[in-house]
Amino acid sequence: MKLTNDSLISVRNLYKRFGDLEVLKNINFDLKEKEVLVIVGPSGAGKSTLIRCINRLEEPTEGEIWFEGRKIDEKANLNKLREKIGMVFQRFNLFPHLTAIQNIMLALKVVKKMKDEEAREVALHFLKKVGLEERKDHFPHQLSGGEQQRVAIARALAMQPDVMLFDEPTSAIDIELIKEVLDVMKELAKEGMTMIVVTHEMGFAREVGDRIIFMDKGEIVEENKPVEFFKNPKTERARRFLSKILNI
Amino acid sequence: MDFKFSLFLSSLPYLLKGAKVTITLSLVSVGIGLLIGLGAALLKISKNLIFRTLGSTYVEVIRGTPLLLQIMITYYGLPAVGIKLDAITAGIVALSVNSGAYCAEIFRAGIESIEKGQMEAARSLGMTYAQAMRYVILPQAIKRVVPPLTNEFVAMLKDSSLVSTIAVAELLRRGRQLMGTLANVWSPLIGVGLIYLVMTIPLTQLAQRMERRLRRSEAH
């Protein structure tokens, strides 16, 4: 079975409940190739849960998610799926027992079955891309938060994913280091990477986003072009949210 | 008190032979116990209900019954169902199975102490559960379980004395034999106690030092 549109990702009637708590309510959206979708909203809105449903770190309670024309269900090979969906976490989640380059090489060797030399070459290429080539032999704890997150981005990119999910990638980083991470993400967007970004960085959302989804209390409240969303939000809830965060 | 220094000294060579048996017994048993324990720990944290039940039943049964009973069953009970083991083998089997249950709890705690994000990051890169366990979780967990496993070995050095009841000539057994042949209680028993201490104190200290170092290295 196929969905009759050319979307890379389609989410249909998605619900997620944790016991009595309804975290996602009837979520619907499409993501086209090369599109940068930014998801904003207050904490607890369900933003992270939503993108974690896409690579099945969370199991949806109800509804469908389609990826590259295929429905993701019990029969889907989740490991193959995850190879194509890169994910960057709020807390980096680098492997602390491995150096920067080993962090990137591990999945290349284990999942992509590359030989050591090839994996090293690929890893080095992506470390260069995030500007951390000379840090390759450092362990995570020897790197700043910004550097750790850039390594994490390189680690996800090295798998050559078709889409990248960013789960509040700058929320755990010192303010003065946020820019270096956002710059890497901007560069990626420019190169045409398809991205879903959950973030509180409104500047990034406005500048890089092709489309914004505003979520509150588990629902998509508004979907809009960034310029419109910030200048003239359609909904009262979005207006209140924006006035709150832009005043701070 | 009938302690005589000369008797104490002359009993040492005989006792040290027993200490060698005690050490060998403990090393082999904890070695096998480690393997059983890792397997049982993986069963216990499995998502599969049957595996999980299997793992926790083993751990609960072993930890909920006296080691002495387990030794008796292995040595006196198993022959009735057609498995006849000599004393030393029965000792090793009982001690290994017993140690496995305690090692399982140590491994489980170690694995569960690793931040959830580590497994998620590994899975998000396309690794299978087993690959993530092997390359990401276990290497980190191993570091954290070395100190408690060292303590487990110390416990085994002492607890292995229970196989003296099935006539394995380890340290305590030899002490008791000397009580008879020397017609003296205190001299051989003090020898036995001192030899246990010489084995256990350095190991306990080592475990404490490793724990402190680990805490420091994970502080950053």
Side-chain angles (χ1 to χ4, degrees):
Chain A
M1 208 165 70
K2 282 201 161 202
L3 265 194
T4 52
N5 64 29
D6 58 348
S7 300
L8 188 69
I9 294 175
S10 296
V11 176
R12 292 289 177 269
N13 311 321
L14 186 74
Y15 286 81
K16 174 69 184 176
R17 297 183 198 96
F18 293 109
D20 286 338
L21 189 68
E22 196 155 60
V23 188
L24 294 176
K25 296 174 205 165
N26 196 23
I27 302 290
N28 288 279
F29 71 85
D30 292 286
L31 181 74
K32 291 205 180 352
E33 229 173 276
K34 303 199 174 187
E35 202 178 9
V36 177
L37 175 67
V38 180
I39 304 178
V40 301
S43 36
K47 308 176 301 269
S48 293
T49 308
L50 173 56
I51 64 168
R52 288 164 58 87
C53 280
I54 293 174
N55 70 348
R56 272 303 202 269
L57 285 182
E58 302 283 356
E59 193 74 34
T61 314
E62 242 180 78
E64 297 176 355
I65 298 177
W66 297 70
F67 180 71
E68 298 186 336
R70 280 233 193 84
K71 194 161 112 180
I72 305 172
D73 52 20
E74 307 78 48
K75 280 173 284 177
N77 181 341
L78 290 187
N79 302 319
K80 274 273 167 272
L81 173 83
R82 289 179 178 134
E83 266 189 76
K84 294 185 176 178
I85 303 180
M87 183 145 193
V88 174
F89 299 86
Q90 183 177 347
R91 303 213 40 101
F92 330 133
N93 296 348
L94 289 182
F95 307 135
H97 60 301
L98 301 177
T99 61
I101 195 163
Q102 288 168 342
N103 258 275
I104 304 174
M105 288 168 62
L106 181 61
L108 294 176
K109 295 202 297 194
V110 173
V111 179
K112 291 229 187 269
K113 311 287 179 208
M114 285 185 191
K115 290 262 177 297
D116 200 81
E117 291 150 61
E118 192 191 357
R120 188 173 299 277
E121 222 169 89
V122 174
L124 211 51
H125 169 80
F126 284 96
L127 270 180
K128 246 183 243 172
K129 199 173 165 67
V130 298
L132 287 173
E133 194 190 356
E134 72 292 349
R135 295 287 212 179
K136 66 179 165 59
D137 294 323
H138 286 59
F139 283 93
H141 70 82
Q142 299 168 315
L143 300 170
S144 74
E147 288 170 332
Q148 288 189 54
Q149 193 60 300
R150 281 148 70 198
V151 173
I153 293 174
R155 180 175 70 178
L157 284 178
M159 300 302 286
Q160 315 268 20
D162 295 338
V163 58
M164 287 280 288
L165 309 176
F166 291 88
D167 187 5
E168 301 199 22
T170 57
S171 296
I173 294 176
D174 293 335
I175 287 184
E176 71 272 19
L177 302 175
I178 288 180
K179 189 177 171 298
E180 62 186 60
V181 174
L182 292 180
D183 284 346
V184 168
M185 291 167 62
K186 277 181 206 170
E187 192 57 36
L188 266 182
K190 229 188 276 170
E191 289 168 12
M193 174 59 80
T194 315
M195 297 162 54
I196 300 182
V197 184
V198 171
T199 187
H200 294 292
E201 295 295 326
M202 294 304 145
F204 176 87
R206 185 169 7 204
E207 190 185 333
V208 186
D210 294 312
R211 200 152 43 103
I212 287 192
I213 281 179
F214 169 65
M215 287 182 71
D216 191 16
K217 302 195 176 99
E219 294 174 306
I220 295 183
V221 178
E222 177 167 342
E223 206 177 321
N224 212 335
K225 291 268 163 212
V227 182
E228 284 299 308
F229 179 76
F230 286 105
K231 218 169 48 188
N232 197 11
K234 290 186 277 193
T235 55
E236 178 56 32
R237 270 202 270 179
R239 201 166 299 141
R240 244 180 297 141
F241 171 73
L242 283 174
S243 75
K244 244 185 245 160
I245 55 159
L246 295 178
N247 278 346
I248 297 169
Chain B
M1 192 171 139
D2 59 356
F3 180 74
K4 282 211 181 70
F5 191 68
S6 58
L7 286 181
F8 162 74
L9 271 186
S10 61
S11 60
L12 280 181
Y14 187 70
L15 291 178
L16 281 173
K17 273 187 210 151
K20 234 168 91 182
V21 176
T22 290
I23 291 173
T24 313
L25 211 57
S26 304
L27 275 177
V28 173
S29 301
V30 171
I32 300 171
L34 280 176
L35 294 177
I36 300 176
L38 181 57
L42 290 173
L43 286 180
K44 265 196 88 170
I45 59 168
S46 151
K47 283 194 205 84
N48 184 313
L49 182 67
I50 297 170
F51 288 167
R52 220 164 50 223
T53 312
L54 218 64
S56 45
T57 306
Y58 161 63
V59 171
E60 293 312 317
V61 167
I62 295 299
R63 296 205 314 168
T65 53
L67 172 56
L68 187 53
L69 173 69
Q70 294 158 17
I71 293 170
M72 301 264 173
I73 286 180
T74 313
Y75 189 59
Y76 300 113
L78 289 186
V81 293
I83 306 170
K84 190 153 170 38
L85 304 171
D86 60 63
I88 190 104
T89 314
I92 286 174
V93 168
L95 293 176
S96 303
V97 169
N98 180 270
S99 177
Y102 289 91
C103 290
E105 283 304 275
I106 293 171
F107 275 120
R108 185 191 53 77
I111 290 169
E112 286 180 348
S113 76
I114 304 299
E115 209 213 328
K116 207 171 112 249
Q118 292 290 309
M119 177 58 89
E120 290 185 349
R123 298 307 301 274
S124 79
L125 290 164
M127 285 186 221
T128 63
Y129 177 83
Q131 288 169 337
M133 222 7 128
R134 166 153 179 222
Y135 296 107
V136 176
I137 307 297
L138 286 181
Q140 296 181 58
I142 295 293
K143 247 174 46 187
R144 295 189 192 177
V145 298
V146 170
L149 285 178
T150 308
N151 287 327
E152 165 61 21
F153 181 67
V154 170
M156 180 56 74
L157 281 173
K158 295 179 291 174
D159 292 347
S160 62
S161 60
L162 286 170
V163 300
S164 63
T165 56
I166 55 170
V168 175
E170 45 69 71
L171 179 52
L172 185 66
R173 175 84 184 180
R174 288 185 173 234
R176 275 180 63 182
Q177 286 169 344
L178 283 182
M179 280 164 58
T181 44
L182 299 175
N184 186 294
V185 175
W186 278 94
S187 310
L189 286 192
I190 283 183
V192 168
L194 282 178
I195 294 175
Y196 273 118
L197 285 175
V198 166
M199 297 191 288
T200 54
I201 287 177
L203 281 172
T204 313
Q205 301 250 311
L206 178 71
Q208 278 169 5
R209 208 173 322 143
M210 286 190 296
E211 241 167 274
R212 273 199 299 273
R213 240 186 52 198
L214 193 67
R215 230 174 294 143
R216 246 181 291 134
S217 81
E218 287 188 351
H220 49 231

